[in-house]
């Protein structure tokens, strides 16, 4: 009986891993262009771009999560696709206050959008 229980757990683990892979494969890679700013200002100040690089950096260093405010006004929450998960501010901090192009998997839930950033770079000409 112990062999059957172990085999059942192994099969369950394989099926769970396959389900996670299929779900990730269904999510297309997209490109987002916008400004990196702190989430508090994105919501409470109604900004269309950061006040300054220094302001966005100070807020991030104080603990505010950085987000990407897309050109169309959509806010993308950067997330990790790992378990346990990790904060994404270290990845975004070099771009705080800058306009960027980011690509990765986008997830939607309850009106929110999140992005698992695969590639990010500053846009050369800020507008």
């Amino acid at each position: 009986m112990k062999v059957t229980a172990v085999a059942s757990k192994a099969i369950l683990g394989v099926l769970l891993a396959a389900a996670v892979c299929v779900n990730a494969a269904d999510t297309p890679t997209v490109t987002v262009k916008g400004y990196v700013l702190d989430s508090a200002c994105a919501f409470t100040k109604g900004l269309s771009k950061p006040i300054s690089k220094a302001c966005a950096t100070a807020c991030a260093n104080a603990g505010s999560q950085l987000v990407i405010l897309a050109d169309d006004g959509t806010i993308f929450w950067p997330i990790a696709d790992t378990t346990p998960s990790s904060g994404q501010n270290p990845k975004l901090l070099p771009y705080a206050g800058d306009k960027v192009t980011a690509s990765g998997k986008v997830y939607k839930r309850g009106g929110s959008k999140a992005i698992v950033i695969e590639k990010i770079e500053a846009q050369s000409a800020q507008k």
Side-chain angles (χ1 to χ4, degrees), residues 30-38 42 47-50 66-76 78 92 95-103 115 117 119-127:
V30 299
T31 299
V32 174
K33 294 181 180 185
Y35 286 98
V36 174
L37 74 160
D38 76 282
L47 301 176
S48 60
K49 64 180 186 176
L66 292 171
V67 296
I68 299 174
L69 176 62
D71 293 339
D72 67 359
T74 303
I75 294 173
F76 289 87
L92 291 165
Y95 305 100
D98 294 337
K99 195 161 191 181
V100 298
T101 300
S103 58
I115 184 170
I117 298 171
K119 181 180 177 184
I120 186 169
E121 59 189 13
Q123 289 187 18
S124 56
Q126 291 187 8
K127 295 180 182 177

